[in-house]
Amino acid sequence: MDSTLDQIELLCIAAQLMLENGSETYRVEETVRRMAAGLGLAHANITAFPTSIFIEVDGSTRVRRISRRGTNLGRIAQVNEVSRRVEHEQMSAQEAALELEKIQHSPCTSQHAMILAYAVAAASFSLLFGGDASTFGVAFLIGLIVQAVQPLFIKTEMGVLFGNFAGGLLTAMLAQLFAELIPYGSVNAAIIGGIMPLLSGLLMTTAVRDTMYGDLVSGMARALEALLLATSVALGVYTGLKLVTMMGGLLL
């Protein structure tokens, strides 16, 4: 991997990995510049957006479309480590390419672990919003069900939006139905706790950091994405409340 084009491709892979796993755009650009310096590419230009990457070196340009986004801070940290080793000439371009490929194919957190983590988070949030032990148990069950259905939306168009809508819908309906079957502490606390893990707090934080670092386009785009995701959850909750009310359920 001695040619400039191969080195640019390596930079594209590193940038894509970071954007796909939730990194801020300024961090992506900094990482690519660091790697470029270590590879001897003194005049590398990088522009990153949440959905695309543009890298230019000595008249050669690469554009990479980012169509999948998520959150995996472990992968971001691993790519950062590779970039620092390349910068300090402790790793060759070939070794970096192999390491990035290994990171790209590293297993994500298992679905069983995600279901359990979501359920614990939902139940814990319910306590913060005035729930008691019974509300904790109901929110835990709701969290198990909501996270279990999320993989059904991953591979669909606008899957995240539909997944958040379905999560809000299920949370509102299940919280009220459980209240009719087995009365418990607070329906409101169960609903709020159930939807809290769906809300994109990290995405909004990333938007603020991008804006503070001068990446206004990326910051506004991420803020809009966070707002859309929160809106889809709210619409799901509203729809769930109305559906149960229409069926004669509990009216909050």
Side-chain angles (χ1 to χ4, degrees):
M1 187 177 289
D2 296 327
S3 71
T4 300
L5 291 179
D6 288 337
Q7 292 173 334
I8 296 176
E9 185 64 22
L10 177 64
L11 299 179
C12 282
I13 294 172
Q16 181 176 355
L17 274 173
M18 296 192 72
L19 280 177
E20 287 181 342
N21 290 284
S23 178
E24 306 94 329
T25 54
Y26 81 87
R27 191 184 302 277
V28 174
E29 294 175 356
E30 177 188 352
T31 297
V32 171
R33 282 194 293 267
R34 187 185 300 122
M35 290 186 68
L39 295 172
L41 304 175
H43 303 290
N45 295 298
I46 164 71
T47 300
F49 298 101
T51 57
S52 57
I53 305 163
F54 300 85
I55 299 179
E56 184 274 331
V57 179
D58 296 330
S60 299
T61 305
R62 283 287 185 274
V63 179
R64 187 67 64 90
R65 171 72 176 175
I66 306 300
S67 57
R68 182 183 65 84
R69 293 188 300 279
T71 302
N72 191 324
L73 301 182
R75 285 183 177 175
I76 294 175
Q78 290 175 320
V79 175
N80 274 327
E81 179 62 25
V82 170
S83 72
R84 288 186 174 86
R85 294 181 64 186
V86 172
E87 179 187 20
H88 294 101
E89 299 182 358
Q90 299 173 351
M91 178 180 287
S92 66
Q94 291 85 353
E95 292 172 334
L98 292 175
E99 191 65 27
L100 291 177
E101 183 179 1
K102 186 186 301 183
I103 295 172
Q104 188 174 20
H105 294 95
S106 62
C108 298
T109 306
S110 69
Q111 177 62 10
H112 292 90
M114 290 293 294
I115 291 174
L116 181 59
Y118 187 104
V120 171
S124 300
F125 276 120
S126 72
L127 295 180
L128 291 177
F129 289 95
D132 55 14
S134 60
T135 308
F136 181 94
V138 170
F140 185 88
L141 291 176
I142 292 174
L144 291 176
I145 297 171
V146 169
Q147 182 58 37
V149 305
Q150 292 301 309
L152 300 176
F153 303 94
I154 291 178
K155 295 183 179 180
T156 62
E157 293 292 334
M158 298 190 296
V160 178
L161 286 175
F162 287 133
N164 278 19
F165 177 84
L169 177 70
L170 284 173
T171 299
M173 293 186 69
L174 291 173
Q176 293 183 96
L177 293 175
F178 278 133
E180 291 187 344
L181 297 174
I182 309 172
Y184 61 93
S186 173
V187 176
N188 287 324
I191 293 176
I192 297 173
I195 65 173
M196 283 298 290
L198 290 172
L199 300 179
S200 48
L202 180 60
L203 186 59
M204 183 58 75
T205 301
T206 302
V208 173
R209 295 189 66 176
D210 277 340
T211 303
M212 292 176 63
Y213 276 83
D215 297 318
L216 301 181
V217 175
S218 297
M220 293 300 295
R222 290 184 187 274
L224 179 60
E225 182 180 1
L227 181 61
L228 286 174
L229 293 177
T231 301
S232 66
V233 175
L235 288 174
V237 172
Y238 176 80
T239 304
L241 293 174
K242 287 299 181 181
L243 285 176
V244 174
T245 299
M246 290 170 61
M247 294 186 296
L250 180 65
L251 180 61
L252 295 182

